[in-house]
Amino acid sequence: MQTFDDVARLVAELPEVTEGEERHRGHRAWQVAGKAFAWERPFSKADIKRYGDERPPQGPILAIRTADQAEKEAILAAGKDAFFTIAHFNGYNAYLVKLDQVTAQDLKEALVDGWLALAPPQVAEGFLSK
């Protein structure tokens, strides 16, 4: 099981990351160049209502940005149980991660990809060239 503290530890290894609060609900968020690439994303009442009789995933949920819809669809099509989306994210370049089901390696790769989606090109190139 991964935690938000694990997320913080992993993203601290990436250049120019700052941790702050998500502006709508005050949850933890991680940014690069002033843009959130990962954030705590508990379900809202509307999200839960959309599940109807189905039980929504339990445990801590993390949202991670993608570069575009094609990347998001490829991630979801890979079939990893820890990665999913909800109706609220339709058309938005991000997906959700069940922290209690994701492996440490998959989480690290997802966070790096989310960071790369929003990092300034020069910063990303410097990171990738290491």
Side-chain angles (χ1 to χ4, degrees), residues 4 7 18-31 36-45 47 59-63 89 99:
F4 290 116
V7 171
T18 58
E19 181 176 340
E21 290 185 356
E22 184 267 336
R23 67 176 173 230
H24 300 293
R25 296 185 185 142
H27 298 292
R28 289 170 86 176
W30 294 271
Q31 302 178 355
F37 67 93
W39 62 97
E40 290 184 32
R41 182 49 170 87
F43 293 121
S44 68
K45 290 179 184 176
D47 294 331
I61 304 294
L62 179 73
F89 279 63
L99 289 180

Side-chain angles (χ1 to χ4, degrees), residues 7-122:
V7 171
R9 179 182 48 77
L10 290 168
V11 300
E13 299 172 7
L14 300 169
E16 300 188 20
V17 169
T18 58
E19 181 176 340
E21 290 185 356
E22 184 267 336
R23 67 176 173 230
H24 300 293
R25 296 185 185 142
H27 298 292
R28 289 170 86 176
W30 294 271
Q31 302 178 355
V32 61
K35 299 175 186 174
F37 67 93
W39 62 97
E40 290 184 32
R41 182 49 170 87
F43 293 121
S44 68
K45 290 179 184 176
D47 294 331
I48 293 169
K49 186 175 182 179
R50 286 185 195 105
Y51 272 92
D53 293 336
E54 186 181 340
R55 183 180 165 147
Q58 301 298 299
I61 304 294
L62 179 73
I64 299 179
R65 289 292 302 263
T66 59
D68 53 35
Q69 287 292 295
E71 180 183 9
K72 174 182 178 177
E73 294 306 320
I75 290 165
L76 296 174
K80 295 188 179 192
D81 290 340
F83 299 153
F84 71 107
T85 192
I86 57 175
H88 181 80
F89 279 63
N90 288 349
Y92 186 63
N93 297 341
Y95 62 100
L96 301 173
V97 179
K98 301 173 203 172
L99 289 180
D100 60 355
Q101 293 184 20
V102 70
T103 67
Q105 185 62 37
D106 285 345
L107 179 60
K108 182 176 183 174
E109 290 174 11
L111 289 166
V112 169
D113 287 345
W115 178 86
L116 286 168
L118 297 179
Q122 291 177 331

